[in-house]
Every structure is written in structure tokens, then in C-alpha cells.
Amino acid sequence: MGVGAFGDNGELWFEIQMQAANGDVFSVEALFDTGFTAGWLAINTQDLEALEWLRIAAQIFMTTARGEGQFNLYEGKVIIDDTEFTIPVHVGDDIPDTLMGSAWLDIMQLVVNKPQGILTLEIVKGN
């Protein structure tokens, strides 16, 4: 079970790992963004350099909270709670935080109980 933390303004933060093409693993704090409904993960272009992931699509246009944005799509390897996932990752400029999209809710259960300080993300059995 992935245990998260609440940010100062109630944000939902989880530590995830991104695995580079050469096998190196980088731990990052990712913001769970339920408004990011078009994908699994979004990262800033500058973060891609160390990962050397394979680009699978170029110049995808999406509407974001900041307006229309252009992204490239990469095949990325992410590790959450010791489970490895190969997912499409949106990569673009001006993304201030690593963002986890709501696609994770198709395979994982998000439990939020702020008064009790409980924030977890776990794989739903059978997936």
C-alpha cells in the first residue's frame, strides 16, 4: 500500500519511483491530480533527460488548467508500492510538479481520511 501525505493546502502527495531506460531508479514526490483525467502521469520536459524513455507520440494537444497545452507521449516505467507499471507519460513544458492522473483510479483504490491523517493508494485485487 502506498502511503501518501497531505500538503499544506490539502494536496495529495505520493512518493513514486521512475525507472530510466538504463535501469536507474529515481524517487520523486508526485501530486495526485484528480482533474488530470487524460492520463496516468505528467512530467516536465527537463525531467525526461535522465530517463531516456522512448517517445511513442508527438505533439498531442490537451486542455489543461492553464489552457491548451502541447505534450509528447513517452513509454515510461513507474514503480508504486514495489509494483512496476509501464504506462504512457505526458511530457511537456511548464509542468511545475510530477502529476499522477486519475487513470490510476482504474486499477487502484484511493483512500482519503484527512481528519484521521489517512492517505493511501493500493492496487485493487483482481487487476
Side-chain angles (χ1 to χ4, degrees):
M1 170 176 15
V3 177
F6 294 100
D8 292 339
N9 296 311
E11 306 94 341
L12 310 178
W13 292 98
F14 290 93
E15 183 176 308
I16 65 170
Q17 296 174 309
M18 297 188 290
Q19 184 174 356
N22 67 4
D24 288 347
V25 175
F26 302 92
S27 292
V28 297
E29 292 293 318
L31 175 65
F32 199 98
D33 182 357
T34 58
F36 174 29
T37 59
W40 296 85
L41 194 71
I43 64 172
N44 193 293
T45 303
Q46 71 183 12
D47 298 331
L48 181 67
E49 186 175 312
L51 298 168
E52 298 180 351
W53 286 340
L54 174 69
R55 186 170 66 186
I56 55 177
Q59 298 181 0
I60 296 170
F61 290 91
M62 291 180 12
T63 302
T64 71
R66 295 181 174 181
E68 190 75 16
Q70 179 179 327
F71 299 86
N72 291 318
L73 202 59
Y74 287 79
E75 182 180 89
K77 290 194 178 188
V78 176
I79 302 166
I80 300 175
D81 194 28
D82 297 323
T83 302
E84 184 179 299
F85 301 91
T86 300
I87 57 169
V89 179
H90 290 79
V91 179
D93 298 330
D94 302 321
I95 300 174
D97 298 300
T98 298
L99 301 176
M100 296 177 70
S102 63
W104 290 105
L105 298 178
D106 291 337
I107 62 168
M108 299 184 104
Q109 173 180 273
L110 176 64
V111 177
V112 180
N113 184 331
K114 194 171 180 186
Q116 296 291 320
I118 298 170
L119 178 59
T120 61
L121 189 62
E122 62 183 314
I123 296 172
V124 176
K125 302 295 183 224
N127 284 337

